[in-house]
């Protein structure tokens, strides 16, 4: 059984708290936990916009707090995001996530992330067996 306290992680386990441009993710479960998926609580800053395409991972996301929208770049469809809404990127969907208010999201990734990933230039994480490509300066 794995027991983790969110508050203890944000206070002491810096290797499980990842930040990037206008978002922070608290990694509650990682690949090393052996569950077959990773679980994160992610905070997206109000007014921020993020373009992602997890072409090597599937992701499901549940909004716990805040408002925003998600746009599927393949179809152009935009859907509102608010507390209680879930979306799943079942086709490695390239998308834009916008936070009108701070969004607090519960996220699961399959395959699980290791906690050391960084977003590549195209908005994806490298496949687990790949080394990340470096962005041009």
């Amino acid at each position: 059984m794995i027991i983790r306290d969110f508050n203890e992680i944000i206070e002491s386990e810096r290797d499980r708290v990842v930040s990037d441009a206008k978002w922070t993710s608290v990694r509650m479960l990682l690949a090393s936990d052996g569950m077959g998926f990773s679980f994160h609580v992610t905070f997206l800053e109000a007014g921020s916009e993020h373009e992602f395409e997890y072409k090597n991972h599937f992701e499901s996301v549940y909004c716990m707090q805040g408002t925003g929208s998600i746009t599927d770049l393949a179809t152009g469809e935009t859907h509102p995001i608010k507390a209680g809404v879930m979306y799943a990127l079942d086709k490695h969907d390239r998308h834009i996530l916008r936070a009108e208010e701070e969004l607090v999201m519960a996220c699961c990734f399959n395959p699980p992330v290791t906690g050391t990933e960084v977003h590549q230039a195209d908005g994806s994480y490298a496949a687990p067996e790949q080394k990340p490509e470096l962005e041009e300066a």
Side-chain angles (χ1 to χ4, degrees):
M1 182 180 298
I2 299 169
I3 306 292
R4 298 236 163 80
D5 182 322
F6 175 87
N7 297 304
E8 289 178 9
I9 291 173
I10 61 172
E11 290 175 8
S12 63
E13 294 190 48
R14 297 295 176 208
D15 59 327
R16 288 186 178 267
V17 180
V18 178
S19 293
D20 201 347
K22 303 192 181 218
W23 62 265
T24 300
S25 186
V26 179
R27 307 290 173 82
M28 303 291 292
L29 288 173
L30 293 169
S32 60
D33 293 311
M35 295 291 296
F37 63 92
S38 56
F39 177 76
H40 320 178
V41 177
T42 300
F43 299 81
L44 297 108
E45 186 178 304
S48 64
E49 183 174 296
H50 312 269
E51 186 171 331
F52 300 120
E53 180 183 16
Y54 295 115
K55 57 189 175 184
N56 301 305
H57 297 81
F58 293 106
E59 182 189 26
S60 64
V61 179
Y62 177 76
C63 181
M64 298 187 298
Q65 178 183 313
T67 60
S69 64
I70 186 167
T71 300
D72 180 336
L73 292 177
T75 66
E77 291 180 87
T78 298
H79 305 276
I81 299 294
K82 62 182 181 178
V85 171
M86 186 277 304
Y87 64 87
L89 304 170
D90 62 332
K91 296 179 180 69
H92 307 287
D93 313 88
R94 187 167 192 77
H95 62 285
I96 296 176
L97 182 61
R98 294 176 187 87
E100 295 165 14
E101 302 173 338
E102 179 186 50
L103 288 172
V104 181
M105 314 289 261
C107 312
C108 289
F109 277 86
N110 181 12
V113 301
T114 64
T116 60
E117 292 83 359
V118 294
H119 284 103
Q120 299 180 109
D122 66 0
S124 69
Y125 289 141
E129 60 280 347
Q130 282 183 307
K131 292 185 179 177
E133 299 168 14
L134 296 176
E135 290 186 36
E136 292 183 24

